[in-house]
Amino acid sequence: MSIQEIIKQFEPRQHNLLNILHALQDIHPQQYLTEDALDETARYLKLTKSSVYGVARYYTMFSLQPRGRYIIRVCASAVCELLKVNSLIAALEDLLGIKTGETTADHLFSLELSECLGQCQEAPSMMVNDQVFNNLDNERIREIIGQFRQTAAGS
Ligand code: FES
């Protein structure tokens, strides 16, 4: 689907801005908002480009940079922090060979931090795209990353 086809699924009302940005980011294989996508959105909703860019920059769920096929969002909020999520983040960085905020050279994984994922009772937690993973430890993280690598290799 083209950018225009996606945008036209929504009524041209300003309250649809976030929904349109989500839809445009989701259809891009590198899960980010391109300049064209932002410009077309501004035109369609009769908003200034700077206001659309401002919204896209404000929300951490949007990216203006190409990202990996799998976006890992590790909860860095209070409960997970208490449960030593920092050592898990370090383990993920080692495993993936990147720092938080970066994307692997093969464009498979991006590593990001997140606010509370609402999974505190089973913390520490992270999401990979739309999937939630709880009760994490180093071994579980290795398994999860291994599974996603296998899936990618088989597709
Ligand atoms: S603090 Fe991490 S899931 Fe709530």
Side-chain angles (χ1 to χ4, degrees), residues 74-81 85 114-126 134:
V74 184
C75 174
S77 289
V79 176
C80 287
E81 201 179 358
V85 77
S114 149
E115 296 299 318
C116 177
L117 297 170
Q119 307 290 319
C120 308
Q121 290 182 337
E122 297 179 86
S125 304
M126 70 179 190
N134 295 320

Side-chain angles (χ1 to χ4, degrees), residues 63-83:
S63 176
L64 304 185
Q65 303 296 325
R67 293 190 288 183
R69 175 169 163 185
Y70 301 116
I71 299 173
I72 302 168
R73 294 186 179 91
V74 184
C75 174
S77 289
V79 176
C80 287
E81 201 179 358
L82 270 177
L83 294 169

Side-chain angles (χ1 to χ4, degrees), residues 69-121:
R69 175 169 163 185
Y70 301 116
I71 299 173
I72 302 168
R73 294 186 179 91
V74 184
C75 174
S77 289
V79 176
C80 287
E81 201 179 358
L82 270 177
L83 294 169
K84 305 197 185 319
V85 77
N86 286 340
S87 70
L88 296 178
I89 294 168
L92 273 166
E93 288 180 340
D94 274 357
L95 207 54
L96 300 172
I98 55 173
K99 293 286 175 203
T100 302
E102 294 179 348
T103 296
T104 55
D106 59 4
H107 301 290
L108 208 50
F109 297 99
S110 292
L111 180 60
E112 300 178 359
L113 300 182
S114 149
E115 296 299 318
C116 177
L117 297 170
Q119 307 290 319
C120 308
Q121 290 182 337

Side-chain angles (χ1 to χ4, degrees), residues 21 34-36 38-39 42 48-58 64:
L21 294 181
T34 62
E35 218 176 299
D36 281 352
L38 293 167
D39 291 350
T48 62
K49 284 186 193 180
S50 63
S51 63
V52 172
Y53 276 76
V55 168
R57 282 198 190 95
Y58 177 77
L64 304 185

